[in-house]
Amino acid sequence: MRNAVLLLTLFLTPLAHAQTSMPGMHHGAPAHHGTTTNGGLEPLKGKAFDRAFLSMMIVHHQGALDMSRAVLNNVKDPQVKKWTADIIRVQQKELGVMNTWLGTLGGVDKGAQTGMHTEMKGMMTALKANKDSDRALVEGMLPHHASAVDMANLALQRSSDARVLGLARDIIRTQADEMYAYRQWLIKRGL
Protein backbone atom coordinates (compact mmCIF):
# COMPACT_ATOMS: atom_id res chain seq x y z
CA MET A 1 0.00 0.00 0.00
CA ARG A 2 2.81 2.43 0.90
CA ASN A 3 4.51 1.81 -2.44
CA ALA A 4 1.25 2.45 -4.28
CA VAL A 5 0.74 5.73 -2.39
CA LEU A 6 4.32 6.81 -3.08
CA LEU A 7 4.00 5.96 -6.77
CA LEU A 8 0.70 7.82 -6.95
CA THR A 9 2.32 10.78 -5.20
CA LEU A 10 5.20 10.82 -7.64
CA PHE A 11 2.71 10.73 -10.50
CA LEU A 12 0.35 13.35 -9.06
CA THR A 13 2.91 15.88 -7.83
CA PRO A 14 3.77 17.14 -11.33
CA LEU A 15 0.05 17.31 -12.06
CA ALA A 16 -0.41 19.74 -9.19
CA HIS A 17 1.44 22.29 -11.30
CA ALA A 18 -0.52 21.47 -14.43
CA GLN A 19 -4.08 21.79 -13.12
CA THR A 20 -5.96 24.00 -15.54
CA SER A 21 -9.43 22.47 -15.58
CA MET A 22 -11.16 25.18 -13.58
CA PRO A 23 -11.35 28.83 -14.56
CA GLY A 24 -10.02 31.21 -11.98
CA MET A 25 -7.44 28.81 -10.58
CA HIS A 26 -4.30 30.54 -9.41
CA HIS A 27 -1.76 27.75 -9.27
CA GLY A 28 1.67 29.22 -9.46
CA ALA A 29 0.63 32.50 -7.82
CA PRO A 30 3.66 34.17 -6.32
CA ALA A 31 3.82 34.34 -2.56
CA HIS A 32 6.15 35.06 0.34
CA HIS A 33 9.37 33.71 -1.07
CA GLY A 34 8.20 34.14 -4.62
CA THR A 35 8.04 30.99 -6.76
CA THR A 36 5.30 28.42 -7.34
CA THR A 37 2.16 27.11 -5.70
CA ASN A 38 4.49 26.09 -2.88
CA GLY A 39 4.80 29.78 -2.07
CA GLY A 40 8.55 29.64 -2.15
CA LEU A 41 8.91 26.78 0.31
CA GLU A 42 11.61 25.24 -1.90
CA PRO A 43 14.61 27.20 -0.52
CA LEU A 44 13.60 26.71 3.12
CA LYS A 45 14.70 23.97 5.50
CA GLY A 46 14.26 23.06 9.14
CA LYS A 47 12.29 25.29 11.49
CA ALA A 48 11.85 28.06 8.88
CA PHE A 49 10.35 25.52 6.49
CA ASP A 50 8.09 24.03 9.17
CA ARG A 51 6.79 27.45 10.20
CA ALA A 52 6.09 28.54 6.59
CA PHE A 53 4.58 25.14 5.69
CA LEU A 54 2.19 25.13 8.65
CA SER A 55 1.26 28.77 8.03
CA MET A 56 0.37 27.95 4.43
CA MET A 57 -1.34 24.65 5.22
CA ILE A 58 -3.58 26.35 7.78
CA VAL A 59 -4.86 28.73 5.10
CA HIS A 60 -5.13 25.79 2.69
CA HIS A 61 -7.21 23.74 5.14
CA GLN A 62 -9.39 26.75 5.91
CA GLY A 63 -9.98 27.05 2.16
CA ALA A 64 -11.19 23.43 2.04
CA LEU A 65 -13.51 24.10 4.97
CA ASP A 66 -14.89 27.23 3.30
CA MET A 67 -15.42 25.41 0.00
CA SER A 68 -17.12 22.47 1.72
CA ARG A 69 -19.37 24.68 3.81
CA ALA A 70 -20.33 26.71 0.74
CA VAL A 71 -21.90 23.64 -0.90
CA LEU A 72 -22.85 21.58 2.17
CA ASN A 73 -26.59 22.33 2.02
CA ASN A 74 -26.81 21.95 -1.77
CA VAL A 75 -25.03 18.67 -2.51
CA LYS A 76 -27.38 15.85 -3.44
CA ASP A 77 -25.25 12.79 -4.15
CA PRO A 78 -24.84 10.70 -0.95
CA GLN A 79 -21.15 10.07 -1.67
CA VAL A 80 -20.44 13.77 -2.19
CA LYS A 81 -22.32 14.56 1.03
CA LYS A 82 -20.08 12.09 2.87
CA TRP A 83 -16.94 13.57 1.32
CA THR A 84 -18.06 17.07 2.26
CA ALA A 85 -18.71 16.06 5.87
CA ASP A 86 -15.39 14.18 6.02
CA ILE A 87 -13.46 17.21 4.71
CA ILE A 88 -15.03 19.41 7.37
CA ARG A 89 -14.43 16.92 10.18
CA VAL A 90 -10.84 15.94 9.32
CA GLN A 91 -9.51 19.32 8.24
CA GLN A 92 -11.10 21.14 11.19
CA LYS A 93 -9.31 18.72 13.54
CA GLU A 94 -6.00 19.15 11.69
CA LEU A 95 -6.39 22.95 11.83
CA GLY A 96 -6.46 22.86 15.61
CA VAL A 97 -3.36 20.67 15.74
CA MET A 98 -1.43 22.81 13.24
CA ASN A 99 -2.27 26.03 15.07
CA THR A 100 -0.93 24.52 18.31
CA TRP A 101 2.29 23.36 16.64
CA LEU A 102 2.76 26.71 14.92
CA GLY A 103 2.77 28.41 18.31
CA THR A 104 5.79 26.31 19.32
CA LEU A 105 7.63 27.34 16.13
CA GLY A 106 7.34 31.08 16.59
CA GLY A 107 3.84 31.76 15.31
CA VAL A 108 2.33 32.50 11.92
CA ASP A 109 4.52 33.40 8.96
CA LYS A 110 2.22 36.06 7.47
CA GLY A 111 4.28 36.34 4.30
CA ALA A 112 3.94 32.63 3.60
CA GLN A 113 0.17 32.89 3.93
CA THR A 114 -0.27 35.70 1.38
CA GLY A 115 -0.04 33.62 -1.80
CA MET A 116 -2.12 30.84 -0.29
CA HIS A 117 -4.92 33.30 0.49
CA THR A 118 -4.90 34.29 -3.19
CA GLU A 119 -4.97 30.67 -4.33
CA MET A 120 -7.87 29.79 -2.00
CA LYS A 121 -9.82 32.85 -3.13
CA GLY A 122 -9.45 31.71 -6.75
CA MET A 123 -10.64 28.21 -5.88
CA MET A 124 -13.68 29.58 -4.04
CA THR A 125 -14.56 31.80 -7.00
CA ALA A 126 -14.40 28.80 -9.35
CA LEU A 127 -16.49 26.69 -6.97
CA LYS A 128 -19.21 29.32 -6.72
CA ALA A 129 -19.30 29.71 -10.52
CA ASN A 130 -20.37 26.07 -10.91
CA LYS A 131 -24.14 25.71 -10.34
CA ASP A 132 -23.89 21.92 -9.82
CA SER A 133 -22.77 21.73 -6.18
CA ASP A 134 -21.82 18.04 -6.35
CA ARG A 135 -19.63 18.55 -9.38
CA ALA A 136 -18.29 21.86 -8.05
CA LEU A 137 -17.00 20.25 -4.87
CA VAL A 138 -15.47 17.22 -6.58
CA GLU A 139 -13.82 19.22 -9.36
CA GLY A 140 -12.72 21.89 -6.89
CA MET A 141 -11.14 19.42 -4.49
CA LEU A 142 -9.00 17.79 -7.18
CA PRO A 143 -6.66 20.77 -7.68
CA HIS A 144 -7.04 21.71 -4.01
CA HIS A 145 -5.82 18.30 -2.86
CA ALA A 146 -3.13 18.23 -5.57
CA SER A 147 -1.75 21.45 -4.14
CA ALA A 148 -1.73 19.96 -0.62
CA VAL A 149 -0.02 16.78 -1.85
CA ASP A 150 2.58 18.93 -3.59
CA MET A 151 3.34 20.91 -0.43
CA ALA A 152 3.32 17.77 1.74
CA ASN A 153 5.71 16.03 -0.62
CA LEU A 154 8.12 18.94 -0.20
CA ALA A 155 7.65 18.73 3.59
CA LEU A 156 8.81 15.12 3.50
CA GLN A 157 12.01 16.38 1.90
CA ARG A 158 12.62 19.54 3.96
CA SER A 159 11.00 19.32 7.39
CA SER A 160 13.01 18.70 10.54
CA ASP A 161 9.97 18.25 12.80
CA ALA A 162 8.62 14.72 13.35
CA ARG A 163 5.10 16.12 13.79
CA VAL A 164 5.21 17.91 10.44
CA LEU A 165 6.65 14.84 8.74
CA GLY A 166 3.80 12.71 10.08
CA LEU A 167 1.21 15.27 9.02
CA ALA A 168 2.74 15.48 5.53
CA ARG A 169 2.68 11.69 5.18
CA ASP A 170 -0.96 11.57 6.30
CA ILE A 171 -1.98 14.38 3.92
CA ILE A 172 -0.40 12.56 0.98
CA ARG A 173 -2.02 9.24 1.85
CA THR A 174 -5.48 10.59 2.56
CA GLN A 175 -5.73 13.19 -0.14
CA ALA A 176 -4.22 11.04 -2.90
CA ASP A 177 -6.82 8.35 -2.07
CA GLU A 178 -9.57 10.99 -2.13
CA MET A 179 -8.35 12.35 -5.48
CA TYR A 180 -8.53 8.84 -6.91
CA ALA A 181 -12.11 8.47 -5.65
CA TYR A 182 -13.07 11.91 -7.00
CA ARG A 183 -11.74 11.02 -10.47
CA GLN A 184 -13.65 7.73 -10.39
CA TRP A 185 -16.84 9.62 -9.47
CA LEU A 186 -16.35 12.04 -12.37
CA ILE A 187 -15.54 9.26 -14.85
CA LYS A 188 -18.72 7.36 -13.91
CA ARG A 189 -20.70 10.47 -14.77
CA GLY A 190 -18.90 11.06 -18.04
CA LEU A 191 -17.31 14.27 -16.75
Side-chain angles (χ1 to χ4, degrees):
M1 176 65 178
R2 282 188 182 148
N3 289 340
V5 171
L6 288 174
L7 285 173
L8 184 59
T9 300
L10 291 173
F11 174 74
L12 292 175
T13 298
L15 293 178
H17 295 292
Q19 291 292 331
T20 57
S21 63
M22 294 184 68
M25 297 304 297
H26 294 293
H27 294 285
H32 172 52
H33 303 282
T35 57
T36 68
T37 192
N38 285 329
L41 288 173
E42 289 87 353
L44 302 176
K45 291 181 182 176
K47 186 176 177 179
F49 176 90
D50 295 329
R51 185 171 169 242
F53 171 79
L54 289 172
S55 295
M56 290 174 66
M57 195 57 76
I58 286 167
V59 174
H60 197 270
H61 272 38
Q62 187 60 55
L65 289 174
D66 293 344
M67 291 168 69
S68 297
R69 289 176 179 145
V71 298
L72 182 61
N73 294 324
N74 299 318
V75 292
K76 301 196 180 356
D77 185 286
Q79 180 59 65
V80 179
K81 283 183 184 185
K82 181 181 181 321
W83 286 332
T84 305
D86 288 347
I87 290 167
I88 292 169
R89 179 182 49 79
V90 170
Q91 297 210 8
Q92 185 67 51
K93 180 181 174 186
E94 288 178 355
L95 268 173
V97 169
M98 288 188 292
N99 275 305
T100 300
W101 293 349
L102 194 53
T104 69
L105 294 170
V108 173
D109 180 337
K110 297 273 187 199
Q113 288 185 334
T114 302
M116 191 55 65
H117 279 296
T118 301
E119 187 173 337
M120 293 304 101
K121 190 174 187 179
M123 288 186 180
M124 182 61 87
T125 299
L127 179 101
K128 288 180 176 180
N130 191 336
K131 301 301 177 199
D132 179 344
S133 294
D134 294 294
R135 184 175 177 181
L137 183 79
V138 173
E139 288 181 340
M141 281 299 134
L142 279 168
H144 187 275
H145 281 10
S147 175
V149 167
D150 190 35
M151 289 190 303
N153 185 41
L154 193 56
L156 289 178
Q157 300 171 59
R158 302 289 171 85
S159 177
S160 62
D161 189 307
R163 301 169 300 180
V164 173
L165 289 168
L167 175 67
R169 178 203 58 214
D170 293 347
I171 287 170
I172 290 169
R173 286 178 177 168
T174 302
Q175 295 194 11
D177 284 347
E178 289 172 358
M179 290 172 67
Y180 176 80
Y182 298 160
R183 286 299 307 152
Q184 293 298 317
W185 187 89
L186 289 166
I187 289 166
K188 286 180 184 175
R189 283 149 190 82
L191 303 171

